[in-house]
């Protein structure tokens, strides 16, 4: 929901990279960028495309139940319709703009201005200050913020090793077992079952081959400690309430 309307409505199935959990957005001003998304969201987008005919046609991804592309009017009135079924949505005046603003406010407070700016897809222009011009966030920093926000490790933030490693800065080394390996153009999406969860790591196909990974292989999933700590803190802030309701 942090994306502008034009970028969302312009999505096609070809704009999804499920291996790395990225989507290609075409924003206003002819801006094109890869945006990290959660594994849950990319899975639902793929299912939506399959169920509503977008995958077969290759056209607009978001569609009505009858398979027709969703219109701007329907997109704009989505939360009006939700408010008819969920009174708290109407009471708190929840909207796509509200979700975008709330998300970016949280990202800026926890990860800084540069990450929030990149998270929102803001690009440099002639009106930017020198500080803004030279303060930029990488896609990995955006993915870290997303992982902390959603509580789901992002594939670009998960590495794999065939055994425990010493002398590295990543402190969370989780033993697990490979459950599936999916390959794309240059990348491999390796799903690993760890205690109480399943993680996905996006690595190159060459790395997967060099490590002799296969279903059933024992590996160590390496997840940044800052990502884990931020995710846990966010869960504590949420308590037992739904995140949207609490914010």
């Amino acid at each position: 929901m942090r994306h502008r309307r034009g970028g969302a409505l312009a999505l096609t199935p070809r704009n999804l990279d499920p291996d790395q959990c990225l989507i290609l957005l075409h924003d206003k001003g002819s801006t094109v960028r890869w945006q990290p998304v959660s594994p849950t969201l990319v899975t639902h987008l793929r299912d939506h495309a399959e169920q509503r005919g977008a995958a077969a046609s290759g056209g607009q991804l978001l569609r009505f139940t009858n398979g027709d592309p969703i219109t701007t009017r329907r997109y704009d009135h989505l939360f009006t319709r939700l408010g008819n079924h969920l009174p708290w949505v109407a009471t708190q005046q929840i909207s796509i703009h509200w979700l975008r603003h709330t998300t970016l406010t949280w990202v800026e407070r926890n990860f800084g201005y540069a990450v929030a700016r990149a998270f929102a897809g803001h690009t440099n222009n002639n009106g930017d200050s020198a500080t803004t011009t030279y303060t930029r966030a990488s896609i990995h920093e955006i993915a870290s913020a997303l992982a902390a926000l959603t509580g789901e490790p992002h594939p670009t933030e998960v590495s794999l090793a065939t055994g425990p490693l010493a002398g590295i800065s990543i402190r969370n080394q989780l033993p697990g077992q490979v459950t599936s390996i999916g390959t794309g153009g240059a990348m491999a999406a390796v799903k690993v079952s760890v205690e109480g969860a399943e993680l996905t790591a996006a690595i190159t196909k060459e790395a997967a081959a060099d490590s002799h990974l296969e279903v059933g292989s024992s590996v160590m999933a390496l997840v940044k400690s800052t990502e884990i700590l931020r995710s846990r803190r966010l869960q504590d802030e949420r308590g037992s309430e739904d995140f949207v309701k609490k914010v």
Side-chain angles (χ1 to χ4, degrees), residues 21-144:
C21 288
L22 301 171
I23 59 175
L24 185 63
L25 290 174
H26 296 75
D27 287 330
K28 64 181 182 181
S30 300
T31 301
V32 180
R33 61 190 173 95
W34 284 103
Q35 179 79 22
V37 295
S38 69
T40 296
L41 177 57
V42 79
T43 297
H44 284 302
L45 287 175
R46 292 183 71 187
D47 290 345
H48 179 91
E50 290 287 346
Q51 295 167 5
R52 303 201 175 183
S57 69
Q60 182 177 321
L61 191 151
L62 299 179
R63 294 173 177 257
F64 291 103
T65 54
N66 66 1
D68 291 340
I70 193 172
T71 61
T72 300
R73 183 176 181 276
R74 174 55 63 90
Y75 186 88
D76 287 343
H77 289 83
L78 175 62
F79 279 85
T80 300
R81 292 167 57 84
L82 288 174
N84 293 332
H85 299 279
L86 301 172
W88 59 268
V89 171
T91 300
Q92 298 188 36
Q93 299 182 325
I94 307 298
S95 65
I96 291 176
H97 174 77
W98 183 94
L99 288 176
R100 177 181 170 86
H101 178 269
T102 302
T103 299
L104 294 177
T105 298
W106 185 90
V107 172
E108 182 175 5
R109 288 175 179 173
N110 289 274
F111 288 86
Y113 175 75
V115 176
R117 181 179 174 82
F119 201 97
H122 293 168
T123 57
N124 294 323
N125 54 50
N126 294 333
D128 288 335
S129 66
T131 301
T132 300
T133 301
Y134 292 105
T135 305
R136 302 181 183 180
S138 69
I139 195 169
H140 296 286
E141 291 174 301
I142 300 171
S144 291

Side-chain angles (χ1 to χ4, degrees), residues 160-184:
L160 296 179
T162 54
L165 298 178
I168 63 173
S169 60
I170 299 177
R171 300 176 61 184
N172 291 286
Q173 302 187 37
L174 310 176
Q177 190 173 57
V178 175
T179 57
S180 71
I181 302 175
T183 57

Side-chain angles (χ1 to χ4, degrees), residues 215-227:
V215 174
S217 295
S218 295
V219 295
M220 297 295 293
L222 313 177
V223 186
K224 290 183 178 179
S225 59
T226 53
E227 182 176 314

Side-chain angles (χ1 to χ4, degrees), residues 143-154:
S144 291
L146 174 70
L149 178 66
T150 62
E152 291 185 77
H154 193 270

